[in-house]
Amino acid sequence: MIERMTVVLPEPMAAQLRAAVEAGEYASTSDAMRDAVRLWSERHRLRDLETERLQQAWDAGKASGRHGTLDFEELRREARSRLTAQDNESGRAG
């Protein structure tokens, strides 16, 4: 089923729409508007998926039980220590 709607656009947008049709990008302004609505719908769907992904990450973080302030110097020391251990293991294997 198709429903007819009237859409009011500011002149610069209307000019862009007409230019796209004249350039052959779309068969009609209706085709261009349908494409715009599809893109808008897809953007909303992706935003909903991203929100869900962030909620899952938040929940997983809370469930991990780790919280509090971070000591970035300690994190750097631990990372350097792991890298040094990996380098040492790589040197022994070769």
Side-chain angles (χ1 to χ4, degrees), residues 32-44:
M33 290 302 298
R34 281 190 289 274
D35 192 37
V37 171
R38 277 191 294 272
L39 290 170
W40 172 78
S41 295
E42 181 65 11
R43 186 178 77 203
H44 279 269

Side-chain angles (χ1 to χ4, degrees), residues 89-94:
E89 288 177 17
S90 296
R92 288 185 202 137

Side-chain angles (χ1 to χ4, degrees), residues 9-78:
L9 299 172
E11 179 51 37
M13 285 180 153
Q16 285 180 309
L17 198 60
R18 285 190 301 274
V21 172
E22 290 169 9
E25 294 177 45
Y26 296 97
S28 66
T29 54
S30 291
D31 284 344
M33 290 302 298
R34 281 190 289 274
D35 192 37
V37 171
R38 277 191 294 272
L39 290 170
W40 172 78
S41 295
E42 181 65 11
R43 186 178 77 203
H44 279 269
R45 187 185 71 78
L46 290 174
R47 186 177 62 204
D48 290 345
L49 287 173
E50 181 65 9
T51 300
E52 182 180 326
R53 188 191 69 76
L54 289 171
Q55 183 63 52
Q56 290 171 353
W58 174 265
D59 292 342
K62 286 180 66 177
S64 74
R66 296 183 347 209
H67 58 82
T69 58
L70 293 176
D71 181 344
F72 285 100
E73 285 305 316
E74 178 62 25
L75 288 174
R76 285 187 192 100
R77 283 191 295 273
E78 289 175 13

